[in-house]
Amino acid sequence: INAEYGVNMNVTEQPLSESVTPTNYGGDLNPILDILFGLICCFCFLSGTVGNFAAFCFFKFSKSNVPHSIYKIITTTDFYISLCIFPVGMCYFMDRSPGILFGTRITCYFWGYTWTIAGRLSVFLVVVLSSTRTCLVLKPFFPVRIFVVIGSIVGYFLFILIQMVLIQVLMNGEVKYMPSFAECAFLAPKETDGVVKNYKILYFIGYTAPFILPMFVVIFSCGLTIYAIAIKPKQNDSHTQVQAASSARVTWTILIFTLVYSCFNIPLVFDRILLLLRDLFEMENLNHYHSFPNVNYYLNFTYCISVAVNSALNPWLYLWRMANFRRFLSQQMHWMFPLYFQNTVGCSPGSYRAGSKRGSNFFETTSFIS
C-alpha cells in the first residue's frame, strides 16, 4: 500500500499498540478473513523461505551462466519477501496489533523500505529474465553478457532507493503502521495534497511506472519469444533435435514463470492504471472503485499478499519444470537422511553422495535448466 491511499483516501492512522477493532481503526474487520489471510501469510512464509533457499542452493551449485545468475537473485529476493510476510500474518492473528516489529519506528521504517524495494525488484527481475531469454531466442549467437545483466539489476536497485528517499523528502511523507492493511506503509499527510499534485512526474516514476510498464514489456517479450519459436524451422538431425527440445523446454519454463507473475500482478496493474487516470485527468468518480465493503482486504491482497504468494509458488514451479532441481533435492535428502532412505528404500547412502558438493556432480555436464 503506497502513498496514494494515505493522500487520496485521507488515511491518517497512527501506530497502535493495542488490539484493533472496527470502531477504532475505521474499517470493516472480518475475523474469518483475518484468519484466512493469516494462514495464507504463514503458508507463504514456510513455502517461500524453505523452497527459495533450496532453489538458491541449486542454482549456486550449478554451472554459472546468465539464467542461473538471474535465478539466484530472484530466489534471494523471493526468500526475503517470504520472510517479510510473516509479521503481516501475525498481525492478522493478533487483532491487527503491530507487535514488536511494526510497533517500533526504526523497524517499521526498515520493513517499509525493504519490502517496497524487494517487491519492485522482483518485478524488474521478471522483466530481465524474460528479455534475456527473448534475446537468446532471437539472436542465439549474440548472448547477453552477465555484467550487463548484473549492472542493470544493481542500477535499478539504486534507482529505487534514491527515488524512495526523494519522494519521502519532497512529499514530507513517513512510514507508519496501518492496522487497516496490517503493515507499515508510506503515507503523505493530508496537508501535503497540493505538494503531491506538484510532483506528478516524480509520483508517476515512483509509484506507478514500476508496476505498469513492466507488465507491457513482459507481454511484448513473451509474444516475440512465442513467435520466434513458432516460425523456427524444424531440425532433422537427432542431436540437434535433442538440443532444440532442451532449449525449448527452458524457454517455455521462463514463459510459464512470467505467466504466473502476470496472473498475480494484473489486479495491481489494473488498480494502478485507474489511479493514474484519476490523478492525470482528475476523474474523481474513480474513487468509487474503492468504496465497496472490505476494500482494505482487497487492497492488501493486491499490493501485499499476492506478491508473497507469487514468491512462495515459484519454488513449486522450479520443482515442476526443472528435472535437475528435483534430482538435486533428492540427492540432498539422501545426504541428510541416509539411514532413513537406506532402511525404507534399501539404497546405500554412499551412492547418493558421489561427486563433489554433496552429490551435485551432474551439474558438470549440465549447462541448461531443464
Side-chain angles (χ1 to χ4, degrees):
I1 311 302
N2 291 297
E4 62 265 20
Y5 298 113
V7 174
N8 297 315
M9 296 181 66
N10 294 327
V11 180
T12 57
E13 300 180 78
Q14 299 294 329
L16 301 179
S17 57
E18 68 278 355
S19 297
V20 181
T21 64
T23 57
N24 66 9
Y25 97 97
D28 297 323
L29 192 149
N30 189 318
I32 297 178
L33 288 179
D34 272 16
I35 295 176
L36 177 62
F37 275 35
L39 292 175
I40 294 175
C41 292
C42 290
F43 164 78
C44 294
F45 169 73
L46 294 175
S47 175
T49 52
V50 176
N52 283 294
F53 177 77
F56 174 82
C57 294
F58 165 69
F59 294 118
K60 184 178 184 299
F61 292 151
S62 61
K63 185 176 180 179
S64 179
N65 53 36
V66 173
H68 287 184
S69 300
I70 299 175
Y71 273 119
K72 280 189 288 188
I73 302 176
I74 289 176
T75 52
T76 302
T77 305
D78 286 343
F79 175 86
Y80 185 77
I81 290 174
S82 303
L83 194 65
C84 283
I85 201 64
F86 181 74
V88 177
M90 292 300 99
C91 290
Y92 281 114
F93 287 132
M94 298 187 301
D95 296 329
R96 308 298 181 89
S97 175
I100 299 176
L101 181 62
F102 292 159
T104 306
R105 180 180 177 85
I106 296 178
T107 55
C108 191
Y109 261 86
F110 178 81
W111 189 95
Y113 265 84
T114 56
W115 171 265
T116 305
I117 292 175
R120 297 181 188 182
L121 187 61
S122 67
V123 174
F124 182 75
L125 290 172
V126 175
V127 175
V128 173
L129 181 66
S130 177
S131 301
T132 53
R133 192 61 193 179
T134 302
C135 293
L136 184 61
V137 172
L138 296 177
K139 300 290 184 179
F141 299 106
F142 298 94
V144 180
R145 302 296 182 183
I146 184 64
F147 70 87
V148 175
V149 175
I150 300 300
S152 63
I153 294 173
V154 173
Y156 187 73
F157 172 84
L158 295 176
F159 167 77
I160 297 174
L161 183 61
I162 293 173
Q163 61 91 10
M164 286 176 61
V165 174
L166 288 177
I167 289 177
Q168 181 176 351
V169 172
L170 295 176
M171 293 182 177
N172 300 321
E174 57 183 329
V175 180
K176 289 184 178 180
Y177 173 69
M178 297 180 65
S180 55
F181 300 117
E183 64 175 90
C184 293
F186 282 87
L187 295 176
K190 289 193 298 182
E191 60 267 18
T192 62
D193 287 1
V195 176
V196 174
K197 293 179 181 179
N198 292 330
Y199 289 97
K200 286 185 177 180
I201 297 178
L202 184 61
Y203 192 71
F204 172 80
I205 295 175
Y207 289 102
T208 306
F211 297 95
I212 294 180
L213 297 183
M215 179 64 70
F216 292 100
V217 174
V218 166
I219 293 175
F220 179 74
S221 177
C222 291
L224 280 180
T225 303
I226 295 174
Y227 176 76
I229 294 176
I231 65 173
K232 192 173 183 179
K234 296 184 178 180
Q235 303 292 334
N236 296 325
D237 181 69
S238 59
H239 180 70
T240 306
Q241 286 180 348
V242 172
Q243 288 184 332
S246 177
S247 178
R249 182 173 179 82
V250 174
T251 301
W252 282 109
T253 298
I254 295 177
L255 289 176
I256 295 173
F257 186 88
T258 55
L259 177 63
V260 172
Y261 149 78
S262 300
C263 291
F264 283 101
N265 282 270
I266 284 177
L268 187 150
V269 172
F270 178 72
D271 197 70
R272 290 287 180 175
I273 291 176
L274 290 181
L275 291 170
L276 179 63
L277 293 176
R278 181 195 63 187
D279 293 336
L280 291 180
F281 302 103
E282 298 183 356
M283 301 171 64
E284 297 299 331
N285 57 317
L286 290 180
N287 284 331
H288 297 294
Y289 171 65
H290 290 139
S291 62
F292 55 88
N294 291 327
V295 61
N296 291 335
Y297 287 98
Y298 162 77
L299 294 176
N300 202 6
F301 183 86
T302 301
Y303 283 84
C304 181
I305 295 181
S306 64
V307 178
V309 173
N310 189 8
S311 298
L313 292 181
N314 284 339
W316 296 96
L317 179 60
Y318 306 146
L319 192 65
W320 169 43
R321 295 293 301 177
M322 300 178 184
N324 284 339
F325 182 47
R326 296 193 296 271
R327 191 179 302 119
F328 172 80
L329 290 180
S330 176
Q331 292 184 346
Q332 302 312 305
M333 292 296 292
H334 283 88
W335 181 83
M336 290 187 294
F337 307 103
L339 295 179
Y340 172 81
F341 284 96
Q342 185 178 11
N343 295 332
T344 58
V345 184
C347 299
S348 172
S351 63
Y352 294 96
R353 291 188 291 175
S356 61
K357 295 184 179 179
R358 299 182 180 179
S360 59
N361 57 316
F362 64 91
F363 289 125
E364 297 176 2
T365 57
T366 304
S367 60
F368 290 96
I369 305 172
S370 59

